[in-house]
Amino acid sequence: ANPKCMWDSWVQPYACQRACSANKIYNATNCFQDQACYVKDLAPFTCLTRCNLRPLHTNKTVCESDLECEWDYGADYCTERICNAESQTVCELDVRCRYDTGACTRRCGFHAVIDQCARDALCMWLPGPKQCVDDCRTHLLEETCSNQTRCVWNDAGYCYTACEYAYNSLTTCDADKLCQWDWESDVCQPKECNFPTQSTCSGDTTGSCEWTASDKRTIDVSFTGLNNATYFDLSANSGCQAMKYFQIIPNAPGLVSVVFTIFPCNTLTLCPTYASAKSAIQNNDATCGCKYIHTKASNQLVWPGFPVNTGSTSGQGWTTTAGMTLYVWDNTNQALSGRIVLEMKCPGLCREVCASHMTLANCNNKVYTGGDCQWDVTNSVCQTKCPYFPVENDCTNRTWCQWHPVLTVNKCQLKCDRRQYTTKQTCENDPLCWWSPFTTSCTSKCTEYYTEEACNSQDGQCYFFGDGKCRVACALLGPTRSTCRTAGSAYCMWNDDNGQCEGNCAVRYNGDEAGLIQCEENSVCEIIAGMCITKCPNRLWDQIQCATDNRCMWDMENSACDATCTSRTNPDWCGWSSMCSWVESSIIGNYTGYCRHECQYLPMQNVSTCPVVYNVSETCTCLLYTSPSPRDS
């Protein structure tokens, strides 16, 4: 087949005729006259076959896979792709087209469907009228921006699409630093508390905003140059990281040779003009005082990643320090000004107070709260997380928080009964919490209360002992003598007088005068060497423990720790134990005699200790007893 020929099957009589592409060789006029052909471009002259006449192009998929064709959704047939010219002259002859950044593209209003519109970075789709329009970013002047109801002029000096027009879903809305989703109206709205600095945030008079130092905010910082070099002090933005940039020449939206260059230091002394800095830029050296970090010509409306070195477009970011020098150089000699906006991530964030989030989902969503809020299940309200109250008074004034002075960091913590633990295991896996068998719920350990008032306000579950420590109340731990001994032997005792498990004397009464008076009044306590101690029968000790105190002996008949015979000061008390016997002698105290061990229970290794222990000269018969028992005194 001859590529210069084609079979004309559209007009009878059918015949072989010159192909459209051959017209540029033989006669360009024929291309304009032949209805089967169309002119794609003038320089170089290009004549092509109309798309609807090409083989299989009645199929939409085949049509749109052809780079020279597109589907006409209105007339439902394959037609020539508009704005496909290579030359700027031909492109701008067509009112449907614009020539931008070296390519001919269609104006937004001529994208017929949403997919075409979405593929064009300079266009946006309006779902209401189902129309493709210019993206607000393309309006480089405040006046033209403000004339569009869907557009808003930013304080940083650029136009952007109003949130309610830009997004119709929660995810895309919340991803924009300027917007947030309104859950009540299901509409994207401007972000609340969008103050750029701590001082402006603190100056909010509504009371609905607060500053969070632990989070980061995204801000836009704008710099303008007029065909010159300018040094900008960035001390107010120190520590911020420039991640993206937006670069425009306000009066020239098309391809204009205006160069923007940034040096991360003051280069005005060594390189006062762009001409003097050009060599350092080309050679990527520090002859101006430091190496440049950004250089780019013309408008950049799609927020590219901010580079950190020559030619980089990877967007690695730049952490600001003291300042920067911006060179704006217009190679067109039109004295055009240029504006560059750096999108920065900076320490600190102004956000809505936690109480403004009315649902658990919003409260726990870091997009809205920065992770500073927590849902209070008791009151069904969103609260500030307790660790954000580092001062004790601030912490204890929050009903959902508890102060833990022994913690090294984050002393203010959420109360255990609000941590949503529903089982004993999950509760007690938390070192600050205890599963109360009395309320079958998770609560803070008694040992985590450090004042008498806080300890004794826990519905009787905790008791503030005389040694200044809060513990589980003994009455709850051991309702019987055996359970009292098992559960609370470390600090509890059994009181035979009232049949209750209660705090032992040492931890119940402190050593001051008032404490010792109370000690004397308690029948199960005694004062030894100025300290209040529990009497041996009430200590709940086993045989080994009992042997550690020479004031106590093990009662083998009753399997209990009891007072030694020699400590019993009257005949009745002495007679309570079969291991003891009363010996009549001279008057001792109020009685004539004293209490001693029966010989068979003497804790001795040989019989010679018998008269030594009793301090008498009489002879007694003693049995050798070697089982563990206390030494008498």
Side-chain angles (χ1 to χ4, degrees):
N2 189 336
K4 298 179 182 179
C5 301
M6 66 178 182
W7 183 257
D8 183 355
S9 58
W10 306 288
V11 180
Q12 291 184 348
Y14 303 141
C16 182
Q17 67 176 36
R18 183 179 293 122
C20 296
S21 58
N23 282 325
K24 68 178 182 179
I25 301 173
Y26 298 103
N27 188 347
T29 304
N30 289 346
C31 187
F32 291 101
Q33 296 175 346
D34 194 331
Q35 295 182 1
C37 305
Y38 77 98
V39 176
K40 177 188 175 184
D41 214 334
L42 297 175
F45 184 85
T46 306
C47 184
L48 298 175
T49 304
R50 293 195 176 277
C51 291
N52 64 321
L53 303 180
R54 299 185 186 188
L56 304 178
H57 277 49
T58 55
N59 181 286
K60 183 170 68 173
T61 303
V62 174
C63 173
E64 294 195 331
S65 64
D66 189 328
L67 297 179
E68 294 166 346
C69 304
E70 64 182 37
W71 193 259
D72 187 326
Y73 286 87
D76 201 29
Y77 76 101
C78 192
T79 187
E80 296 70 50
R81 188 179 297 273
I82 66 171
C83 308
N84 205 25
E86 296 179 5
S87 68
Q88 182 175 356
T89 302
V90 175
C91 177
E92 293 178 345
L93 288 175
D94 192 332
V95 295
R96 300 172 297 178
C97 307
R98 64 183 172 206
Y99 196 79
D100 185 36
T101 61
C104 186
T105 59
R106 72 179 65 206
R107 297 186 182 277
C108 297
F110 294 94
H111 289 304
V113 293
I114 187 172
D115 290 343
Q116 291 178 348
C117 186
R119 287 194 293 267
D120 193 325
L122 299 180
C123 302
M124 65 171 293
W125 183 260
L126 295 182
K130 295 183 179 180
Q131 182 181 4
C132 190
V133 296
D134 290 339
D135 191 292
C136 294
R137 291 172 297 172
T138 62
H139 299 293
L140 305 184
L141 297 175
E142 183 175 2
E143 181 181 359
T144 57
C145 174
S146 301
N147 287 336
Q148 307 295 322
T149 57
R150 66 183 185 278
C151 300
V152 180
W153 187 257
N154 187 283
D155 290 340
Y158 65 89
C159 190
Y160 71 95
T161 304
C163 299
E164 59 266 36
Y165 292 98
Y167 310 107
N168 57 10
S169 74
L170 181 152
T171 304
T172 54
C173 174
D174 288 342
D176 191 316
K177 64 181 182 290
L178 301 174
C179 306
Q180 71 180 40
W181 189 256
D182 187 325
W183 288 74
E184 293 185 1
S185 61
D186 281 340
V187 174
C188 191
Q189 298 287 359
K191 181 168 288 186
E192 299 288 342
C193 302
N194 195 26
F195 295 105
T197 64
Q198 183 174 0
S199 59
T200 54
C201 180
S202 302
D204 171 55
T205 58
T206 65
S208 60
C209 303
E210 64 183 355
W211 186 259
T212 303
S214 61
D215 209 341
K216 289 187 176 181
R217 67 194 185 282
T218 302
I219 62 172
D220 296 324
V221 184
S222 178
F223 309 96
T224 300
L226 180 61
N227 201 26
N228 60 5
T230 309
Y231 178 76
F232 293 95
D233 182 2
L234 296 180
S235 57
N237 305 105
S238 180
C240 297
Q241 188 175 30
M243 300 302 298
K244 298 178 182 178
Y245 72 99
F246 181 94
Q247 180 176 296
I248 57 176
I249 302 96
N251 294 305
L255 181 62
V256 179
S257 186
V258 176
V259 181
F260 294 77
T261 302
I262 293 177
F263 285 83
C265 67
N266 191 339
T267 60
L268 295 182
T269 300
L270 297 175
C271 301
T273 65
Y274 179 77
S276 59
K278 196 169 184 179
S279 174
I281 298 170
Q282 293 172 339
N283 297 326
N284 188 26
D285 60 38
T287 55
C288 290
C290 57
K291 291 185 177 182
Y292 79 92
I293 57 172
H294 169 76
T295 186
K296 194 75 175 179
S298 305
N299 294 275
Q300 300 290 323
L301 303 180
V302 292
W303 293 95
F306 189 81
V308 293
N309 49 37
T310 60
S312 170
T313 57
S314 59
Q316 298 170 24
W318 167 53
T319 301
T320 60
T321 52
M324 73 175 199
T325 305
L326 171 66
Y327 292 85
V328 177
W329 182 251
D330 179 14
N331 288 314
T332 66
N333 296 319
Q334 300 179 56
L336 295 172
S337 64
R339 182 186 305 124
I340 186 167
V341 182
L342 300 184
E343 182 181 276
M344 294 185 174
K345 281 280 188 182
C346 299
L349 172 70
C350 188
R351 62 167 179 80
E352 293 179 273
V353 295
C354 294
S356 64
H357 303 293
M358 306 305 294
T359 66
L360 183 148
N362 279 21
C363 183
N364 294 338
N365 191 331
K366 289 185 177 181
V367 172
Y368 304 125
T369 68
D372 295 347
C373 303
Q374 60 198 3
W375 187 253
D376 183 344
V377 294
T378 301
N379 298 318
S380 295
V381 66
C382 191
Q383 309 278 26
T384 302
K385 281 186 175 178
C386 297
Y388 288 99
F389 303 108
V391 179
E392 183 175 1
N393 286 342
D394 289 341
C395 178
T396 54
N397 285 336
R398 270 70 187 181
T399 57
W400 62 96
C401 300
Q402 182 175 340
W403 185 257
H404 299 270
V406 296
L407 296 180
T408 55
V409 294
N410 296 333
K411 295 178 184 291
C412 191
Q413 294 286 333
L414 183 69
K415 288 181 177 178
C416 290
D417 61 358
R418 303 179 188 226
R419 298 191 185 188
Q420 303 184 54
Y421 297 139
T422 56
T423 67
K424 183 177 188 293
Q425 181 178 356
T426 56
C427 173
E428 296 190 348
N429 282 341
D430 190 320
L432 299 177
C433 303
W434 171 63
W435 185 263
S436 170
F438 316 110
T439 61
T440 60
S441 63
C442 192
T443 186
S444 297
K445 287 181 177 178
C446 293
T447 52
E448 294 301 321
Y449 296 103
Y450 296 91
T451 65
E452 184 173 4
E453 180 183 5
C455 178
N456 293 338
S457 64
Q458 304 308 309
D459 298 327
Q461 295 188 86
C462 303
Y463 183 82
F464 196 76
F465 289 80
D467 62 352
K469 294 182 179 179
C470 184
R471 302 179 179 91
V472 178
C474 293
L476 296 178
L477 281 178
T480 66
R481 184 184 183 93
S482 60
T483 55
C484 181
R485 175 179 177 179
T486 303
S489 61
Y491 58 92
C492 297
M493 68 177 184
W494 184 258
N495 190 333
D496 286 314
D497 291 348
N498 57 26
Q500 291 184 357
C501 186
E502 54 189 42
N504 65 43
C505 301
V507 298
R508 193 170 184 181
Y509 306 116
N510 56 35
D512 61 15
E513 183 178 356
L516 294 179
I517 292 174
Q518 291 176 310
C519 176
E520 282 187 314
E521 293 173 348
N522 194 324
S523 61
V524 298
C525 302
E526 60 183 337
I527 299 173
I528 303 294
M531 297 180 60
C532 185
I533 64 171
T534 305
K535 291 179 178 179
C536 296
N538 302 94
R539 295 188 188 181
L540 307 175
W541 275 359
D542 59 26
Q543 187 174 354
I544 301 299
Q545 291 171 313
C546 190
T548 62
D549 192 329
N550 58 15
R551 290 181 295 272
C552 305
M553 71 176 186
W554 186 253
D555 184 337
M556 290 182 294
E557 288 187 353
N558 297 313
S559 296
C561 192
D562 208 343
T564 59
C565 297
T566 53
S567 65
R568 303 179 185 223
T569 56
N570 63 73
D572 291 337
W573 187 13
C574 183
W576 288 354
S577 174
S578 61
M579 296 176 64
C580 304
S581 62
W582 186 260
V583 178
E584 291 291 340
S585 66
S586 59
I587 296 176
I588 302 175
N590 296 324
Y591 299 94
T592 56
Y594 60 92
C595 189
R596 73 177 188 182
H597 277 86
E598 291 287 349
C599 288
Q600 66 268 32
Y601 296 116
L602 272 178
M604 66 184 192
Q605 298 301 316
N606 55 69
V607 295
S608 65
T609 59
C610 183
V612 175
V613 170
Y614 291 125
N615 194 26
V616 293
S617 59
E618 65 182 276
T619 302
C620 64
T621 303
C622 298
L623 299 176
L624 185 65
Y625 178 67
T626 58
S627 297
S629 98
R631 299 178 63 183
D632 207 342
S633 57

